[in-house]
Amino acid sequence: MDAQALSNGTVWLSIPTEADIDVITECCQDPSIGEWVTIPVPYTRDNAQTFIDDIVRPGWAGHSPTWALRLYESGPVVGMIGLGERDESSAEIGYWLAPGARSRGLMTQAVNLVCDYGFRPAGLALQRISWRAFVGNYASAAVARRAGFHYEGLSRQGSLQRGRRRDHWLAARLPTDPPGPALDWPAEFHRALEQTPRPH
Protein backbone atom coordinates (compact mmCIF):
# COMPACT_ATOMS: atom_id res chain seq x y z
CA MET A 1 0.00 0.00 0.00
CA ASP A 2 1.34 3.40 -0.95
CA ALA A 3 2.02 5.73 1.97
CA GLN A 4 -0.69 8.38 2.25
CA ALA A 5 -0.31 11.57 4.27
CA LEU A 6 -3.55 13.20 5.44
CA SER A 7 -4.35 16.73 6.56
CA ASN A 8 -7.24 19.14 7.02
CA GLY A 9 -5.01 22.16 7.55
CA THR A 10 -5.14 21.86 11.35
CA VAL A 11 -3.70 18.38 11.93
CA TRP A 12 -1.16 16.57 9.76
CA LEU A 13 -0.93 12.79 9.65
CA SER A 14 2.21 11.27 8.17
CA ILE A 15 4.23 8.09 8.49
CA PRO A 16 6.36 7.91 11.66
CA THR A 17 10.00 7.28 10.86
CA GLU A 18 13.27 6.66 12.67
CA ALA A 19 13.65 10.43 12.98
CA ASP A 20 10.64 10.37 15.35
CA ILE A 21 11.95 7.67 17.68
CA ASP A 22 13.21 9.96 20.43
CA VAL A 23 9.98 11.98 20.53
CA ILE A 24 7.82 8.83 20.49
CA THR A 25 9.89 7.48 23.39
CA GLU A 26 9.42 10.72 25.33
CA CYS A 27 5.65 10.81 24.71
CA CYS A 28 5.22 7.23 25.88
CA GLN A 29 6.73 8.01 29.27
CA ASP A 30 3.43 9.62 30.23
CA PRO A 31 1.60 7.35 32.71
CA SER A 32 -1.80 8.08 31.18
CA ILE A 33 -0.69 6.57 27.87
CA GLY A 34 0.71 3.45 29.51
CA GLU A 35 -2.49 3.08 31.54
CA TRP A 36 -4.77 2.79 28.52
CA VAL A 37 -2.59 1.60 25.62
CA THR A 38 -1.03 -1.82 25.10
CA ILE A 39 2.55 -0.56 25.04
CA PRO A 40 5.48 -1.85 27.11
CA VAL A 41 5.93 -0.16 30.49
CA PRO A 42 8.51 1.15 31.06
CA TYR A 43 8.79 2.28 27.44
CA THR A 44 12.32 2.50 26.04
CA ARG A 45 13.95 3.78 22.89
CA ASP A 46 14.34 0.16 21.75
CA ASN A 47 10.57 -0.22 22.05
CA ALA A 48 10.09 2.78 19.77
CA GLN A 49 12.56 1.32 17.27
CA THR A 50 10.67 -1.99 17.35
CA PHE A 51 7.41 -0.09 16.79
CA ILE A 52 8.85 1.49 13.61
CA ASP A 53 10.42 -1.74 12.38
CA ASP A 54 7.72 -4.28 13.30
CA ILE A 55 4.46 -2.30 13.25
CA VAL A 56 4.75 0.77 11.04
CA ARG A 57 6.76 -0.57 8.10
CA PRO A 58 4.97 -3.95 7.78
CA GLY A 59 1.64 -2.20 8.33
CA TRP A 60 2.09 0.09 5.36
CA ALA A 61 3.36 -2.84 3.32
CA GLY A 62 0.04 -4.57 4.09
CA HIS A 63 -3.27 -3.00 5.07
CA SER A 64 -2.60 -1.69 8.59
CA PRO A 65 -1.44 1.92 8.19
CA THR A 66 -0.11 3.98 11.10
CA TRP A 67 0.20 7.77 11.11
CA ALA A 68 2.01 10.17 13.39
CA LEU A 69 -0.13 13.16 14.36
CA ARG A 70 1.64 16.50 14.01
CA LEU A 71 0.57 20.11 14.48
CA TYR A 72 2.27 21.17 11.26
CA GLU A 73 3.64 19.27 8.31
CA SER A 74 7.21 18.87 9.55
CA GLY A 75 6.39 19.17 13.25
CA PRO A 76 7.23 16.70 16.01
CA VAL A 77 4.96 13.80 16.88
CA VAL A 78 2.22 14.65 19.40
CA GLY A 79 0.13 11.52 18.89
CA MET A 80 -0.31 8.29 16.99
CA ILE A 81 -3.26 6.79 15.13
CA GLY A 82 -3.63 3.64 13.06
CA LEU A 83 -5.93 1.09 11.49
CA GLY A 84 -5.30 -2.56 12.30
CA GLU A 85 -6.68 -4.91 9.66
CA ARG A 86 -9.36 -7.30 10.95
CA ASP A 87 -10.27 -8.76 7.56
CA GLU A 88 -10.35 -7.56 3.96
CA SER A 89 -13.16 -5.06 4.56
CA SER A 90 -12.84 -4.09 8.23
CA ALA A 91 -10.25 -2.58 10.54
CA GLU A 92 -9.88 -1.45 14.15
CA ILE A 93 -8.79 2.09 14.96
CA GLY A 94 -6.39 2.91 17.79
CA TYR A 95 -4.85 6.18 18.94
CA TRP A 96 -3.03 8.06 21.67
CA LEU A 97 -2.29 11.74 22.22
CA ALA A 98 0.40 13.43 24.30
CA PRO A 99 -0.96 15.42 27.28
CA GLY A 100 0.10 18.81 25.91
CA ALA A 101 -2.05 18.35 22.79
CA ARG A 102 -5.24 17.23 24.52
CA SER A 103 -8.59 19.03 24.94
CA ARG A 104 -8.25 20.82 21.59
CA GLY A 105 -10.27 18.49 19.36
CA LEU A 106 -7.16 17.33 17.51
CA MET A 107 -7.70 13.60 17.88
CA THR A 108 -11.34 13.82 16.84
CA GLN A 109 -10.19 15.54 13.65
CA ALA A 110 -7.52 12.90 13.13
CA VAL A 111 -10.03 10.07 13.62
CA ASN A 112 -12.34 11.65 11.05
CA LEU A 113 -9.48 11.98 8.55
CA VAL A 114 -8.46 8.35 9.03
CA CYS A 115 -12.03 7.07 8.78
CA ASP A 116 -12.64 9.07 5.61
CA TYR A 117 -9.50 7.54 4.11
CA GLY A 118 -10.44 4.06 5.34
CA PHE A 119 -13.91 4.19 3.78
CA ARG A 120 -12.83 5.85 0.54
CA PRO A 121 -12.87 3.48 -2.47
CA ALA A 122 -9.46 4.85 -3.44
CA GLY A 123 -8.25 4.38 0.15
CA LEU A 124 -8.92 1.08 1.92
CA ALA A 125 -12.56 0.67 0.80
CA LEU A 126 -13.54 -0.54 4.30
CA GLN A 127 -17.09 -1.43 5.25
CA ARG A 128 -16.55 -1.22 9.01
CA ILE A 129 -14.11 0.48 11.38
CA SER A 130 -14.31 -0.71 14.98
CA TRP A 131 -13.05 0.88 18.19
CA ARG A 132 -12.41 -0.54 21.61
CA ALA A 133 -11.04 0.88 24.83
CA PHE A 134 -10.49 -0.43 28.32
CA VAL A 135 -13.43 0.30 30.60
CA GLY A 136 -12.83 3.65 32.26
CA ASN A 137 -11.09 5.33 29.32
CA TYR A 138 -13.70 8.04 28.93
CA ALA A 139 -11.34 10.34 27.04
CA SER A 140 -11.01 7.81 24.23
CA ALA A 141 -14.75 7.17 24.34
CA ALA A 142 -15.41 10.89 24.00
CA VAL A 143 -13.32 11.01 20.84
CA ALA A 144 -15.02 7.93 19.38
CA ARG A 145 -18.50 9.27 20.14
CA ARG A 146 -17.73 12.70 18.66
CA ALA A 147 -16.33 11.01 15.55
CA GLY A 148 -19.57 9.11 14.95
CA PHE A 149 -18.80 5.68 16.40
CA HIS A 150 -21.91 3.88 17.66
CA TYR A 151 -21.67 2.06 20.97
CA GLU A 152 -22.02 -1.72 20.61
CA GLY A 153 -21.42 -3.06 24.09
CA LEU A 154 -19.05 -4.39 26.73
CA SER A 155 -16.65 -7.30 26.24
CA ARG A 156 -15.91 -8.88 29.61
CA GLN A 157 -12.20 -9.68 30.00
CA GLY A 158 -12.01 -9.14 26.25
CA SER A 159 -8.54 -7.57 26.04
CA LEU A 160 -5.09 -8.44 27.28
CA GLN A 161 -2.70 -5.75 28.49
CA ARG A 162 0.75 -6.76 29.70
CA GLY A 163 -0.48 -10.13 30.94
CA ARG A 164 -3.66 -8.85 32.58
CA ARG A 165 -7.15 -9.40 31.16
CA ARG A 166 -9.40 -6.33 31.14
CA ASP A 167 -12.96 -5.49 30.18
CA HIS A 168 -13.35 -3.26 27.17
CA TRP A 169 -16.04 -1.21 25.46
CA LEU A 170 -16.90 -1.70 21.79
CA ALA A 171 -18.10 0.77 19.17
CA ALA A 172 -18.03 0.97 15.38
CA ARG A 173 -18.57 3.28 12.46
CA LEU A 174 -19.90 2.31 9.02
CA PRO A 175 -19.59 4.32 5.80
CA THR A 176 -23.38 4.73 5.78
CA ASP A 177 -23.51 6.31 9.25
CA PRO A 178 -24.50 10.01 9.24
CA PRO A 179 -21.77 12.56 10.01
CA GLY A 180 -21.43 14.06 13.45
CA PRO A 181 -21.50 12.68 17.00
CA ALA A 182 -23.26 9.38 17.72
CA LEU A 183 -26.06 9.93 20.21
CA ASP A 184 -26.90 6.31 21.07
CA TRP A 185 -24.31 5.78 23.82
CA PRO A 186 -25.62 4.66 27.26
CA ALA A 187 -26.55 7.25 29.87
CA GLU A 188 -23.42 6.51 31.94
CA PHE A 189 -21.29 7.82 29.11
CA HIS A 190 -23.31 10.99 28.71
CA ARG A 191 -22.82 11.73 32.41
CA ALA A 192 -19.11 10.93 32.35
CA LEU A 193 -18.44 12.69 29.06
CA GLU A 194 -19.94 15.88 30.42
CA GLN A 195 -16.90 15.90 32.74
CA THR A 196 -14.44 15.14 29.91
CA PRO A 197 -12.62 18.22 28.55
CA ARG A 198 -14.13 19.27 25.25
CA PRO A 199 -12.35 20.85 22.27
CA HIS A 200 -12.18 24.63 22.12
Side-chain angles (χ1 to χ4, degrees), residues 35-36 134-135 155 157-159 161 164-168:
E35 179 180 3
W36 301 116
F134 296 127
V135 169
S155 178
Q157 302 292 289
S159 289
Q161 183 194 41
R164 174 191 170 201
R165 299 219 66 86
R166 299 182 64 175
D167 298 347
H168 70 246

Side-chain angles (χ1 to χ4, degrees), residues 180-195:
L183 303 178
D184 56 355
W185 288 61
E188 69 168 288
F189 288 93
H190 293 283
R191 290 192 296 269
L193 297 181
E194 287 177 359
Q195 309 302 318

